[in-house]
Amino acid sequence: MELRHLRYFVAVAEERHFGRAAERLHMAQPPLSQQIRQLEAELGLTLLTRTTRRVDLTPAGAAYLERAREILSAVEAAGHEAASIASGRRGRLLIGCVGSATYSLLPELARTLRTELPEVEFGFRGEMLSPDQAAALTDGTLDLGLLRPLPTGSSGLSITHLRQEDLLVAMPKDHRFAGRRRVRIPDLDGEGLVIHAGSGRSVMNAMIQELFDSAGIRSHITHEVAETSTLVTFVAAGLGIAIVPEPTAALAVPGVVYVPLSGTPGVELVAATRAGDESPLLTRALAILRGLSAT
């Protein structure tokens, strides 16, 4: 039995006439009649009763018609699903995101992905430090990461540049620098710093330490935190200042002022995927992400 036998049978059963069914199928009537007989012979059942004017379904034929329609519908749906997956319009994608981008880029990305790829199931994990994302990409927990380039490199990952972000100093609104148009690293000598957790877990931690070392001043770290939201909250509480990427200002926490930090190149935001992963869905998501990052 082949799928064409089911299609032939459904056409005859719906038209209740071999001639009309043959026209519908764009074939001659005698071969169609022969195919239906072969189907009945294989099943060992009479599916149709034939008269000179009409074809009727036997009870067995009526039951077989219902199942035949289900099978053909399932085959068609499988083809559509396979085509959607092959074109990158269906599937599942897990996305991680560093803290600052969680509150600026991620909301817009999530909205756009759900609008442009409605059949895709997306999962998002915000406030992930870059090394944690790299590990999750490697072990398959994530498919796409929005992170800072790792100082040790990105072995096993494919990196796409998204944008360069300026640095700001987040400070309490009553800080003596709150009214300035900008500050420099040497101005921060002796200031208490709230910073992301170090020990190789935060790219921002390592970069800030390097900025202070290059300026010949020592950093005075008062608190280490895991999440950007906690970092800014600690600043609002007067527990120190923080150096953050510009998108962090999207966290409009009351009591916090953001002042540009001059004399630094800023920090890069990149998209990371597993090297060699060229799935159509991932390609589409990256194209959307690049478009959003360029605006």
Side-chain angles (χ1 to χ4, degrees):
M1 185 188 303
E2 300 178 14
L3 285 175
R4 61 187 173 87
H5 291 107
L6 297 182
R7 294 191 180 98
Y8 295 162
F9 169 71
V10 169
V12 174
E14 291 178 347
E15 297 293 340
R16 301 298 175 97
H17 191 278
F18 275 93
R20 290 193 298 271
E23 290 179 6
R24 170 174 157 181
L25 294 167
H26 305 290
M27 63 186 300
Q29 181 176 334
L32 175 60
S33 299
Q34 184 179 9
Q35 294 293 324
I36 297 300
R37 290 193 194 94
Q38 288 178 358
L39 175 62
E40 290 178 317
E42 182 170 344
L43 294 173
L45 300 170
T46 299
L47 300 175
L48 303 168
T49 57
R50 303 155 174 84
T51 67
T52 55
R53 294 186 176 183
R54 181 178 173 84
V55 174
D56 288 314
L57 290 165
T58 66
Y64 196 75
L65 174 61
E66 182 178 350
R67 294 302 185 189
R69 284 170 170 163
E70 290 176 357
I71 292 169
L72 293 174
S73 177
V75 170
E76 183 178 3
H80 287 313
E81 182 176 356
S84 294
I85 292 173
S87 64
R89 297 187 180 278
R90 182 175 292 192
R92 188 166 185 261
L93 203 65
L94 302 177
I95 302 172
C97 192
V98 291
S100 58
T102 298
Y103 305 103
S104 57
L105 180 58
L106 185 56
E108 187 177 7
L109 174 63
R111 284 193 297 269
T112 304
L113 288 173
R114 293 194 185 283
T115 299
E116 296 194 16
L117 300 172
E119 294 184 87
V120 175
E121 179 185 351
F122 292 101
F124 302 97
R125 291 185 59 190
E127 289 280 14
M128 284 190 74
L129 296 175
S130 295
D132 295 338
Q133 289 192 57
L137 286 164
T138 300
D139 66 22
T141 307
L142 287 182
D143 301 304
L144 173 62
L146 308 182
L147 46 80
R148 310 294 176 191
L150 303 175
T152 55
S154 306
S155 177
L157 300 181
S158 177
I159 301 298
T160 301
H161 172 81
L162 295 178
R163 65 192 185 194
Q164 196 76 11
E165 298 175 343
D166 293 334
L167 294 177
L168 306 176
V169 180
M171 59 186 70
K173 65 179 181 179
D174 57 357
H175 193 279
R176 68 183 187 280
F177 294 153
R180 286 196 180 186
R181 295 184 63 182
R182 62 190 66 255
V183 296
R184 300 175 304 119
I185 286 293
D187 297 331
L188 306 181
D189 191 13
E191 292 285 339
L193 282 176
V194 182
I195 197 168
H196 282 97
S199 303
R201 295 190 60 230
S202 167
V203 171
M204 285 298 299
N205 181 298
M207 188 199 70
I208 292 169
Q209 297 280 15
E210 184 177 344
L211 287 175
F212 275 77
D213 289 344
S214 298
I217 60 177
R218 296 185 62 184
S219 59
H220 173 49
I221 298 173
T222 59
H223 296 278
E224 292 191 3
V225 300
E227 298 87 13
T228 300
S229 57
T230 304
L231 182 148
V232 178
T233 300
F234 277 23
V235 171
L239 301 181
I241 64 170
I243 298 174
V244 298
E246 183 274 333
T248 306
L251 272 173
V253 176
V256 176
V257 173
Y258 296 94
V259 179
L261 180 65
S262 64
T264 70
V267 61
E268 188 179 7
L269 180 69
V270 303
T273 60
R274 282 181 295 279
D277 189 345
E278 299 178 355
S279 74
L281 172 54
L282 199 55
T283 300
R284 284 187 177 275
L286 283 170
I288 291 171
L289 188 53
R290 285 193 295 269
L292 293 176
S293 300
T295 58

